[in-house]
Amino acid sequence: MDPRLPILTDLERKILWLSSWTIHHANHVRSSGDGLKVGGHQASSASLATIMTALYMAVLKPEDRVAVKPHASPIFHAIQYLLGNQTREKLENFRGYKGAQSYPSRTKDVDDVDFSTGSVGLGVAQTLFSSLVQDYVRSHGWGLERPEGRMIALLGDAEMDEGNIFEALLEGWKNGLRNTWWVIDYNRQSLDAVIREGLYSRFEALFTAFGWDVVVLKYGSLLEAAFREPGGARLREWIDTAPNQLYSALTFQGGAAWRRRLLVDLADDHEALRIVESRSDEELGRLMTNLAGHDLPTLLKTFESIDHDRPTVFIAYTIKGFGLPLAGHKDNHAGLLTPKQLAGYQESIGVRPGHEWDRFEALSHSPEELQTFLDKVPFSQKGMRRYEAAPLPVPARLDAPKQPSLSTQQGFGLILNELARSTEPLADRIVTTAPDVTVSTNLGPWVNRRGLFARSEMKDLFRSERIPSTYTWDFGPKGQHLELGIAEMNLFILLSALGLAHSHFGERLIPIGTLYDPFINRGLDALNYACYQDARFILAATPSGVTLAPEGGAHQSINTPLIGLAQDGLASFEPAFVDELAVIMRFAFDYVQRTGADAPASPEGERSWLADEKGGAVYLRLSTRSVDQPQREMSDGLAADIVEGAYWMRRPGPNAQVVVAYAGALAPEAIEAVGLMAEDRRDIGLLAVTSADRLHAGWNAAQRARENGLVGARSHAERLLDAVPSHCGIVTVLDGHPATLAWLGAVHGHRTRALGVDHFGQTGTIQDLYRHFGIDAQGIVKAAQGLGPGRPIRHLKAV
């Protein structure tokens, strides 16, 4: 017998109790009446208790990284509590303010969470992409002083319904996935019901097709021993063919129900009946529910037998709610132990009232023995396992291309190309990726110089055959571009994995992902997930808006500026000119590496009231529209204004009657409109908004600071609009939803007309669509005339 089993069995019982007590406390003590429902945690946690005990207490090494099934968070927190990484205070406050989180969270939990989980499927896929990132880092010769780790996901069978998992599997096959384990908690229950029959065989076929090893963990050691008895083959056949609903129902009813059913169904096989009759009801119930996912000897033997780096999926048969009175019931996802049931459970395992949180209460081994064992658990030998990586130096400035007319998308490609040519340390750590739109988002020059990543060399066949081509697609271990298939979910999950390389692998990467701006929405859940994990990356989304005129409404982004405005952890910019973009990109390279406090910590921070010391990810909303570039010197003051969100292109005079505020590709129309109005409206101002997001965030933060007693707090938006007389009107305009800039009027109470796009577009020319939505120069002039009194604007054309 494995000498670890007695103490691991003890710990498994303790982990299941602590998780159950944590959930009970949250529902029946702390949060009664506040509407919280954590029933799903009760049953789902129990089904994974044995698997997680085996992994965390015996199998895992410090370099392994795990995405825990969301509803198993109480089990995770209980394990970390025993290992000394979680506090009793936070366990008692499960789901409470600053307590242990309902779903494991990198950013809000204290107990060494590797991957945040919650929106099911995303954490699973991230383990796959994190394994690819580990290969990328090591292939470049970085982090070799540390051992390779396995990227492990613990997931439910119903979680396999999530489409992003299948998209990720295909990408893993393309890229030669290694060092990845997925453990499917095959309890045959989803949130609402029992799952379809034979689903395991579909899983088996699917993973085999993608090159994974498949290990089916169905029967525990008790059942395997029974199968070796006379009549055992018949018993196995009965279990193998039993419908999922019948098995679940009998599990819930217990040993006597098992006996009644088996005596009828096995009546024609006397040897099989002897297996049933030789056991008490309690023993029979224990035997018939002895699935491999709850059998420590089977799990330890299986996990520790894997001696290769091939991706492996374990289909582990379990019972939802195993060990609890609600085990097997189809409604147990929302079910909770009643106080009476909990009291009975507590008494049965010997936990004394008042000692529910004691780490070693009611265990058969002494506290000294248990602590000695825990101190030697391989997984915790290095303590907390998050690494830090020194920030990379950022060039003092990025030179903007000098062409007289450019689009921001072209400028983005040219700036990256110059970095690719340079010897800057930063350039070596940039890794780009795109969902099959590398060339059309202007990454081609970068890729030509820096190459595509693969673990083995693969030369561009067109080049070797001397076929003319603009682009060279050489793959190799030192390449710096990861080419993805067209799935946007994969892009954002890969960016999340790349953006955590400094924490997971101790090596700083600067990930840059490009995609078409309209299709941010297709990966929005994964983008939100990446930001929630505090992953650091730069997202360049282009082309954007109805400026992509000929493509029609489905390919024209309307709401993406609002996503940039609302998404936490993501600083959003929409520059109009390439010199602005160069300033913003330089800022972004620095910003994604920052790890400071979540509040202004310096006079520079208080200038904008943005929490820039903390850093985050960056979103650049770019355009394919070429516009004439301003011929100007980039002063430090102008650069600071660009980064903070806006600057005066034309400062309003003391008698200003109208101000036009624009963002992005609408710059030519805004400039033209100001020229058309100049003879009939005094002292017109022109405000260039480079980041509605940061401008708005600074304004909100300054207001909160004043409300908290810092009466002198002033935001960048407030200082800019101090120059606008109270009687003046503001017209805002952008190629996106008008609400993005509509709030500017609220800063100092100015009348405001917000122009933009709030319906699906059509095909046509840019001029057609701008006219249709009233965002051309004439539309801006018309809005200005409607804002207030004044003589008719002579250049306003009748429509």
Side-chain angles (χ1 to χ4, degrees):
M1 186 178 92
D2 189 326
R4 298 170 296 178
L5 281 174
I7 202 163
L8 284 172
T9 301
D10 236 10
L11 290 171
E12 177 197 5
R13 290 174 58 247
K14 186 64 182 181
I15 289 164
L16 182 56
W17 162 254
L18 281 172
S19 67
S20 298
W21 179 250
T22 296
I23 295 164
H24 171 81
H25 190 267
N27 281 274
H28 296 290
V29 178
R30 184 189 59 78
S31 57
S32 57
D34 71 358
L36 293 181
K37 179 192 76 65
V38 292
H41 288 292
Q42 196 112 48
S44 293
S45 284
S47 68
L48 268 172
T50 316
I51 292 171
M52 291 178 67
T53 300
L55 287 171
Y56 279 96
M57 296 298 182
V59 177
L60 297 180
K61 296 180 173 60
E63 59 269 18
D64 296 331
R65 302 284 173 179
V66 187
V68 175
K69 175 181 169 183
H71 280 136
S73 66
I75 292 287
F76 174 78
H77 293 312
I79 289 171
Q80 295 294 325
Y81 178 53
L82 290 176
L83 291 173
N85 298 327
Q86 180 60 282
T87 67
R88 171 175 168 173
E89 177 187 14
K90 289 186 178 295
L91 270 188
E92 288 193 55
N93 201 23
F94 178 63
R95 292 192 69 141
Y97 180 62
K98 295 190 176 180
Q101 295 291 297
S102 299
Y103 310 117
S105 171
R106 281 185 55 84
T107 55
K108 299 184 183 301
D109 277 318
V110 299
D111 46 353
D112 210 14
V113 175
D114 292 318
F115 304 101
S116 298
T117 54
S119 187
V120 292
L122 298 180
V124 179
Q126 173 132 5
T127 60
L128 182 153
F129 286 105
S130 290
S131 183
L132 298 181
V133 171
Q134 179 175 239
D135 282 345
Y136 179 93
V137 167
R138 297 178 73 84
S139 293
H140 284 76
W142 306 321
L144 299 181
E145 69 279 9
R146 306 181 189 96
E148 285 186 327
R150 293 165 294 197
M151 304 297 119
I152 299 170
L154 308 175
L155 64 151
D157 43 15
E159 194 168 1
M160 284 292 295
D161 289 347
E162 290 291 345
N164 76 279
I165 290 178
F166 301 96
E167 294 173 347
L169 280 172
L170 182 59
E171 207 61 62
W173 171 79
K174 292 177 186 176
N175 287 279
L177 179 68
R178 305 183 310 127
N179 288 319
T180 304
W181 285 9
W182 287 1
V183 184
I184 299 178
D185 175 18
Y186 193 65
N187 60 40
R188 290 162 288 174
Q189 287 186 245
S190 61
L191 271 62
D192 292 331
V194 177
I195 66 171
R196 294 292 186 269
E197 302 295 332
L199 188 59
Y200 77 94
S201 64
R202 302 300 177 189
F203 290 163
E204 192 170 6
L206 173 75
F207 281 96
T208 300
F210 283 117
W212 289 56
D213 285 10
V214 180
V215 179
V216 179
L217 291 162
K218 188 168 187 179
Y219 297 120
S221 51
L222 291 179
L223 273 172
E224 290 290 357
F227 295 154
R228 292 191 292 271
E229 297 178 26
R234 180 64 191 283
L235 181 62
R236 180 195 287 268
E237 179 189 5
W238 187 93
I239 300 176
D240 283 342
T241 57
N244 288 338
Q245 291 204 42
L246 173 62
Y247 186 89
S248 295
L250 292 173
T251 296
F252 176 71
Q253 291 173 300
W258 280 112
R259 184 178 303 281
R260 287 192 299 271
R261 183 68 188 222
L262 291 173
L263 288 177
V264 172
D265 289 357
L266 303 179
D268 61 343
D269 190 318
H270 297 298
E271 291 181 327
L273 284 178
R274 274 198 295 271
I275 297 175
V276 176
E277 292 168 343
S278 66
R279 288 162 170 84
S280 67
D281 284 353
E282 182 181 349
E283 291 170 334
L284 184 60
R286 189 181 310 120
L287 173 70
M288 296 303 291
T289 57
N290 177 233
L291 301 181
H294 302 302
D295 191 73
L296 276 169
T298 301
L299 292 170
L300 292 172
K301 181 180 178 181
T302 304
F303 288 144
E304 293 179 341
S305 70
I306 305 300
D307 59 358
H308 55 76
D309 66 0
R310 294 189 300 274
T312 303
V313 61
F314 302 88
I315 303 175
Y317 279 70
T318 63
I319 294 167
K320 194 169 184 178
F322 183 75
L324 304 177
L326 40 67
H329 198 291
K330 72 180 183 67
D331 297 340
N332 64 13
H333 182 78
L336 290 162
L337 292 179
T338 65
K340 182 178 180 180
Q341 288 174 322
L342 196 283
Y345 175 40
Q346 180 172 353
E347 183 179 359
S348 71
I349 61 173
V351 174
R352 295 169 295 167
H355 293 265
E356 291 86 356
W357 298 108
D358 292 1
R359 290 175 72 217
F360 301 137
E361 170 71 7
L363 297 183
S364 58
H365 293 77
S366 70
E368 293 76 20
E369 289 178 288
L370 291 163
Q371 190 60 58
T372 298
F373 182 89
L374 291 171
D375 289 342
K376 294 179 179 178
V377 166
F379 181 71
S380 60
Q381 288 308 294
K382 294 184 179 178
M384 300 294 275
R385 299 162 308 111
R386 293 194 187 184
Y387 296 110
E388 295 183 359
L392 301 165
V394 176
R397 61 179 294 138
L398 297 178
D399 291 327
K402 300 301 184 185
Q403 289 88 323
S405 181
L406 276 176
S407 70
T408 48
Q409 176 179 306
Q410 290 172 311
F412 168 77
L414 291 169
I415 291 169
L416 270 186
N417 186 44
E418 286 303 305
L419 270 174
R421 295 174 57 188
S422 76
T423 58
E424 292 283 349
L426 178 78
D428 294 334
R429 295 294 181 128
I430 291 173
V431 52
T432 58
T433 185
D436 205 33
V437 292
T438 297
V439 172
S440 52
T441 55
N442 276 63
L443 282 178
W446 164 269
V447 176
N448 274 354
R449 294 187 183 278
R450 293 286 175 156
L452 294 103
F453 172 74
R455 291 207 319 274
S456 57
E457 297 280 352
M458 186 171 64
K459 293 299 182 183
D460 188 334
L461 183 63
F462 274 67
R463 185 181 183 188
S464 62
E465 293 293 325
R466 301 180 183 276
I467 300 172
S469 175
T470 306
Y471 300 101
T472 301
W473 295 93
D474 287 335
F475 289 81
K478 303 303 180 185
Q480 290 181 239
H481 178 77
L482 289 162
E483 181 67 5
L484 293 172
I486 205 165
E488 283 81 8
M489 290 290 282
N490 283 346
L491 170 74
F492 288 120
I493 299 175
L494 174 58
L495 287 174
S496 182
L498 290 164
L500 291 174
H502 59 284
S503 179
H504 284 159
F505 310 118
E507 297 295 337
R508 178 77 61 183
L509 298 177
I510 307 294
I512 300 176
T514 64
L515 82 165
Y516 296 162
D517 192 66
F519 301 136
I520 285 178
N521 292 300
R522 290 180 61 170
L524 192 53
D525 192 16
L527 172 60
N528 181 64
Y529 169 71
C531 293
Y532 179 64
Q533 297 206 96
D534 197 25
R536 303 306 181 86
F537 55 89
I538 297 169
L539 176 67
T542 178
S544 61
V546 297
T547 302
L548 188 60
E551 293 292 327
H555 277 60
Q556 296 166 357
S557 50
I558 298 169
N559 68 334
T560 50
L562 296 178
I563 294 170
L565 195 68
Q567 180 61 59
D568 189 20
L570 187 71
S572 171
F573 293 89
E574 187 168 1
F577 303 112
V578 176
D579 63 349
E580 298 169 355
L581 176 62
V583 168
I584 292 165
M585 287 182 67
R586 190 217 168 270
F587 166 79
F589 288 136
D590 178 53
Y591 185 74
V592 298
Q593 301 185 71
R594 297 180 184 178
T595 57
D598 188 11
S602 64
E604 292 75 17
E606 293 177 3
R607 182 174 184 269
S608 65
W609 286 95
L610 293 164
D612 280 352
E613 288 83 359
K614 180 184 178 183
V618 173
Y619 162 34
L620 309 175
R621 189 174 190 252
L622 307 180
S623 176
T624 50
R625 186 188 187 194
S626 288
V627 299
D628 293 339
Q629 298 297 303
Q631 303 303 307
R632 60 187 176 188
E633 290 295 320
M634 182 59 63
S635 67
D636 291 343
L638 177 56
D641 285 350
I642 289 169
V643 166
E644 289 182 20
Y647 65 93
W648 285 113
M649 180 167 276
R650 174 172 171 167
R651 185 173 292 276
N655 299 307
Q657 294 177 297
V658 65
V659 162
V660 176
Y662 74 88
L666 270 293
E669 282 65 34
I671 293 168
E672 181 184 355
V674 167
L676 293 174
M677 293 186 287
E679 296 180 35
D680 301 297
R681 291 292 183 268
R682 291 194 300 271
D683 290 353
I684 297 175
L686 181 60
L687 183 66
V689 179
T690 53
S691 176
D693 172 31
R694 287 171 58 77
L695 204 60
H696 183 267
W699 176 50
N700 261 348
Q703 291 179 95
R704 284 194 297 270
R706 291 197 293 271
E707 290 159 4
N708 289 325
L710 297 174
V711 293
R714 299 280 289 169
S715 69
H716 187 52
E718 290 165 323
R719 288 194 301 273
L720 285 170
L721 295 179
D722 280 344
V724 182
S726 59
H727 63 269
C728 182
I730 301 175
V731 178
T732 67
V733 62
L734 79 158
D735 185 5
H737 199 281
T740 310
L741 296 176
W743 58 272
L744 280 171
V747 174
H748 287 321
H750 293 99
R751 288 169 295 113
T752 301
R753 172 71 170 100
L755 304 178
V757 182
D758 54 7
H759 295 290
F760 290 116
Q762 305 178 38
T763 55
T765 66
I766 291 176
Q767 291 72 25
D768 290 336
L769 268 63
Y770 284 6
R771 188 181 313 115
H772 172 78
F773 285 106
I775 56 176
D776 61 350
Q778 285 293 307
I780 297 169
V781 172
K782 186 190 301 184
Q785 179 159 286
L787 265 180
R791 65 185 185 186
I793 299 174
R794 67 193 73 186
H795 293 292
L796 179 60
K797 298 176 183 177
V799 178

